Amino acid sequence: MNHGFGMEAHGSHPTGEHRKPARYLLLIDAGGSTVARLFTDTFVPVGEFDAGSEEVAVMTQHLKPAAGADAPAWDNALEGHSPAERAAAVVYTLDV
């Protein structure tokens, strides 16, 4: 007998594979403001947010950045950015 009391039990969780973790954090100018973009190890974008956020400081603590994202590996991932923006970008390799 059900009188509508209680909460419905959760359904089963999906059993598919999880998304790959972010491997690179890229700080790049995008039309006059700096954004932080996250990429997997195969340069697939997985997130973008304001580079001035506290999360950037936390993620980059104790990491040494590499200058520029103008290597050919970044071509597809950054096709919307100019060569100057890519050259001025800062790339962090995250500890995963």
Side-chain angles (χ1 to χ4, degrees), residues 3-96:
H3 296 287
F5 296 110
M7 296 186 333
E8 186 175 327
H10 294 288
S12 63
H13 292 282
T15 58
E17 289 187 34
H18 291 281
R19 182 176 64 190
K20 286 181 155 187
R23 181 72 172 143
Y24 301 106
L25 172 66
L26 179 81
L27 303 180
I28 191 166
D29 183 63
S33 64
T34 305
V35 295
R37 298 187 66 191
L38 293 168
F39 294 90
T40 64
D41 59 350
T42 57
F43 304 100
V44 174
V46 292
E48 182 175 317
F49 49 96
D50 180 26
S53 68
E54 182 180 345
E55 287 80 3
V56 172
V58 172
M59 284 191 284
T60 59
Q61 189 175 22
H62 306 297
L63 296 179
K64 295 194 188 245
D70 47 3
W74 288 101
D75 286 348
N76 288 335
L78 300 176
E79 65 186 354
H81 291 278
S82 71
E85 290 173 339
R86 290 179 57 180
V90 177
V91 181
Y92 290 92
T93 302
L94 302 174
D95 295 329
V96 185

